[in-house]
Amino acid sequence: EAGVTQFPSHSVIEKGQTVTLRCDPISGHDNLYWYRRVMGKEIKFLLHFVKESKQDESGMPNNRFLAERTGGTYSTLKVQPAELEDSGVYFCASSRRTGTTNNEQFFGPGTRLTVL
Amino acid sequence: AQSVTQLGSHVSVSEGALVLLRCNYSSSVPPYLFWYVQYPNQGLQLLLKYTTGATLVKGINGFEAEFKKSETSFHLTKPSAHMSDAAEYFCAVSGGKTSYDKVIFGPGTSLSVIP
């Protein structure tokens, strides 16, 4: 089966612009997660979807970040307006439906965002 | 709250030498523990995981880790380093209350292998 895919792989934008990142989870995976790693810091959880619903968005840094998962398939993460401190690598992960005992999260390759 | 610490942001070993990457965690509930690896220009790949049962866990590429509850540790080892092991390694924990909890990552350890 195909893995988690993310688009674009790299994005370079200027401060104040808008960027939209996309994640396509593994087919059939109800759970979708966003994480990010800013320069020199740990990989941090941003939010978790179960199908199209936000299960946990406690890691979203501020209201410049908007995540959606319409239809419970792919997800987008929009940053508007982007700030310098948003630079980093944004990872997406997916896992099978809840209630299973072996619910490994599979990670995508990440999107490297650079804000100038 | 859960957290993960990794001793040493950079570790260098000679090819063929033992690899030991240290990880300690804190968790108020029985944790699920993971080691992920990120090779240059690639995404995160799961090396191994501990959920329940046997405390010595074997993973891919000859790596293994042992869950020691009394020490709150989950150190990663490999008997003989290979050049291809050069990468960044992340220890991680999730809540364990539900198998789909968010993952909390450590800061990462960059492993260099010297020929």
Side-chain angles (χ1 to χ4, degrees), chain A residues 31 33 35 37 41-43 45 48 55-56 58 91 95 98-105 107-110, chain B residues 4 32 34 36 38 41-46 49 51 88 90 94 99-108:
Chain A
N31 296 292
Y33 309 79
Y35 296 82
R37 188 184 193 195
K41 300 285 185 67
E42 294 94 339
I43 300 169
F45 167 82
H48 168 205
Q55 177 77 15
D56 180 355
S58 61
F91 293 101
S95 67
T98 58
T100 59
T101 58
N102 186 21
N103 214 21
E104 175 186 342
Q105 292 185 27
F107 282 79
Chain B
V4 179
Y32 289 177
F34 310 87
Y36 287 89
Q38 186 177 22
N41 301 315
Q42 295 187 28
L44 291 168
Q45 182 180 4
L46 181 67
K49 64 181 177 184
T51 53
E88 191 159 19
F90 298 92
S94 71
S99 60
Y100 51 89
D101 276 357
K102 64 189 179 188
V103 176
I104 308 297
F105 287 88

Side-chain angles (χ1 to χ4, degrees), chain B residues 4 6 11 16 24 27 34 39 41 43 46 54-55 58 82 102 106:
Chain B
V4 179
Q6 292 181 241
V11 171
N24 290 85
S27 178
F34 310 87
Y39 297 104
N41 301 315
L46 181 67
T55 56
K58 296 186 184 299
H82 192 272
K102 64 189 179 188

Side-chain angles (χ1 to χ4, degrees), chain A residues 27-86:
Chain A
S27 179
H29 282 195
D30 288 349
N31 296 292
L32 187 150
Y33 309 79
W34 283 99
Y35 296 82
R36 77 170 180 176
R37 188 184 193 195
V38 296
M39 192 65 67
K41 300 285 185 67
E42 294 94 339
I43 300 169
K44 294 281 194 183
F45 167 82
L46 295 179
L47 88 160
H48 168 205
F49 285 99
V50 178
K51 297 184 179 179
E52 67 275 9
S53 300
K54 292 175 183 175
Q55 177 77 15
D56 180 355
E57 52 184 330
S58 61
M60 294 289 265
N62 52 60
N63 59 11
R64 296 186 293 103
F65 289 76
L66 175 64
E68 295 180 320
R69 193 184 183 195
T70 306
T73 55
Y74 71 90
S75 174
T76 58
L77 180 65
K78 180 190 290 187
V79 186
Q80 179 182 29
E83 298 289 345
L84 299 179
E85 64 265 25
D86 300 332

